[in-house]
Amino acid sequence: QLGSNLYDNGSKVVMGTYTNSVSNPGLRWERTQSINAGLDIGLFKDRIDMSVDYYDMTTTDLLMNRQLPEITGYSSITANLGELGNHGFEMTLNTVNVKESKFNWRSSLVFSFNRNKIKKLFGDIGTYTLSGKEITGEVPDYSNGWFPGQAIDVVWNYKTTGIWQLNEAAEAAVYKQKPGDVKALDVDGSGNYTSTGDKMFIGYERPRYRLGLKNEFDFLTNFTASIFIRADLGQIGRDPYITENTSMFDRLNTFQRPYWTPTNNNSEWPALGALYNAFGGGIAIYKPASFVRIQDVSLAYSLPAALSKRIKINNMRIFASVRNLCVFTKWPGYDPESGNTPMPKTYTLGINLSL
């Protein structure tokens, strides 16, 4: 695949072309085998309606972008990942909680989870060190973070345990660090941080569980209201701001953060100019990214039919709604779902009119 670039040759701007991706003649289509089982239940004249599904599937030759060494001149290549297993459960529960002449209340609950595991990678067998242990078997793809027997979204990194404090200066020096630097678990007890010896599986980037709950109400004859709450639970996300080092703090807006100082001995935010070269293979800081979000809230009023007829219209509906009302989370950034991009709160007020 070709890319293009504009440059000035000294007299005019010209366009150059270059190859920006490498071909893979051995690329194959994905193939998936799956087993599904489902059950639908209706009770009490369908006031309770439930649907459950279980699936188990295996995908071979999964199409993935595999990172390449920089010496090749390319960042990645599309390749087939050996074999990936997926199994999960999905449930939908609809209920009619109250059904009266002037008040109705309906609920809908959706719950799901998915678990995946890399069964095979590329077939390379050998002896390797992982989390301080020597293992014989199929060799992981360290650069892409793919490990046989683990989930494809598993996070393999150093487990941070806080910030080196002033009274730990001597111990920090053993790891070529100083007070104010990030402290991590030394898994193999070697006195230094190595990627194969001290990195470990610390969580998952994708939600372990997903839930959604919607409640709808009809009341006072002409009013309707609804509220939708959803949650993604169990995942962690990378927080780039904790390890951010920049010389442009005086030239751009940024978060006000409680960075470590000799008089502000916090255990979460390292000092400005903290050292990270002590961590073999680099380090990333991950934080809990679970959240519960009040996604949608709405209220509407429909003009009575008799009044609509009197003013010579077919019908009229006045409504107001709020999207992304609030989110409950421990994520330190803007929003756990968008990462570090603000999620807008939207207010809507409108009228539907039919003449």
Side-chain angles (χ1 to χ4, degrees):
Q1 187 175 359
L2 290 179
S4 62
N5 187 38
L6 296 176
Y7 67 96
D8 192 337
N9 67 359
S11 60
K12 61 180 180 180
V13 177
V14 296
M15 177 180 290
T17 60
Y18 61 95
T19 305
N20 65 2
S21 62
V22 61
S23 65
N24 183 356
L27 206 61
R28 302 179 296 275
W29 288 108
E30 294 182 0
R31 293 178 293 177
T32 300
Q33 293 181 335
S34 64
I35 297 175
N36 296 72
L39 177 66
D40 295 321
I41 300 174
L43 301 172
F44 308 113
K45 297 182 180 181
D46 288 334
R47 291 192 64 165
I48 298 178
D49 176 25
M50 184 171 66
S51 175
V52 295
D53 289 282
Y54 174 81
Y55 60 88
D56 192 328
M57 63 178 66
T58 299
T59 301
T60 56
D61 299 329
L62 192 70
L63 293 170
M64 299 290 291
N65 285 325
R66 187 179 185 184
Q67 292 183 13
L68 294 175
E70 292 183 1
I71 195 172
T72 64
Y74 303 96
S75 60
S76 64
I77 183 174
T78 302
N80 293 104
L81 181 69
E83 187 174 320
L84 180 71
N86 273 283
H87 70 273
F89 173 82
E90 298 175 350
M91 181 192 74
T92 301
L93 176 64
N94 299 311
T95 62
V96 179
N97 306 313
V98 179
K99 189 174 183 180
E100 303 291 344
S101 59
K102 292 186 179 181
F103 181 73
N104 294 302
W105 172 22
R106 302 174 299 277
S107 296
S108 179
L109 173 67
V110 178
F111 169 79
S112 67
F113 71 83
N114 174 269
R115 300 290 182 266
N116 67 75
K117 182 172 71 173
I118 297 174
K119 296 182 177 180
K120 295 180 183 177
L121 270 175
F122 308 107
D124 301 327
I125 305 299
T127 300
Y128 58 94
T129 302
L130 183 65
S131 299
K133 299 178 182 178
E134 191 171 277
I135 302 172
T136 299
E138 188 171 7
V139 178
D141 185 339
Y142 290 106
S143 60
N144 289 281
W146 297 336
F147 302 88
Q150 296 291 334
I152 200 168
D153 62 314
V154 72
V155 177
W156 180 66
N157 214 294
Y158 293 99
K159 185 175 180 61
T160 58
T161 57
I163 305 296
W164 292 109
Q165 302 300 325
L166 293 172
N167 60 356
E168 298 174 307
E171 187 180 354
V174 173
Y175 295 89
K176 300 178 181 179
Q177 293 187 291
K178 64 184 188 307
D181 290 346
V182 173
K183 179 169 58 174
L185 187 65
D186 183 5
V187 176
D188 60 5
S190 62
N192 56 71
Y193 295 126
T194 61
S195 58
T196 57
D198 295 308
K199 284 189 175 182
M200 55 192 301
F201 301 115
I202 60 174
Y204 302 88
E205 292 185 308
R206 299 175 186 171
R208 307 296 282 167
Y209 304 97
R210 298 179 187 268
L211 297 99
L213 175 63
K214 185 175 184 179
N215 283 289
E216 298 177 293
F217 306 91
D218 303 326
F219 57 98
L220 298 178
T221 307
N222 301 104
F223 284 90
T224 61
S226 69
I227 180 171
F228 176 51
I229 301 172
R230 66 184 186 88
D232 287 357
L233 306 174
Q235 74 275 25
I236 60 176
R238 180 178 179 178
D239 186 346
Y241 294 112
I242 290 183
T243 56
E244 180 182 54
N245 277 317
T246 177
S247 60
M248 300 181 64
F249 285 116
D250 59 336
R251 281 167 278 178
L252 51 82
N253 288 330
T254 185
F255 286 113
Q256 183 177 352
R257 306 181 182 94
Y259 292 108
W260 186 96
T261 68
T263 57
N264 179 36
N265 300 162
N266 75 85
S267 59
E268 183 176 3
W269 291 88
L272 289 171
L275 301 176
Y276 300 104
N277 53 10
F279 296 97
I283 185 173
I285 309 299
Y286 286 81
K287 294 295 182 180
S290 298
F291 67 87
V292 176
R293 186 189 305 277
I294 301 180
Q295 182 75 36
D296 295 291
V297 178
S298 67
L299 176 66
Y301 171 76
S302 297
L303 204 65
L307 183 55
S308 298
K309 185 176 181 181
R310 186 180 306 170
I311 60 177
K312 301 186 183 302
I313 61 174
N314 288 336
N315 55 69
M316 184 174 71
R317 181 173 176 268
I318 305 170
F319 64 92
S321 64
V322 183
R323 185 170 183 83
N324 189 29
L325 180 61
C326 63
V327 59
F328 305 94
T329 181
K330 293 182 179 179
W331 177 251
Y334 276 117
D335 190 274
E337 194 169 15
S338 64
N340 290 291
T341 303
M343 289 280 278
K345 184 184 299 183
T346 307
Y347 298 88
T348 303
L349 182 64
I351 298 177
N352 291 331
L353 182 64
S354 177
L355 301 176

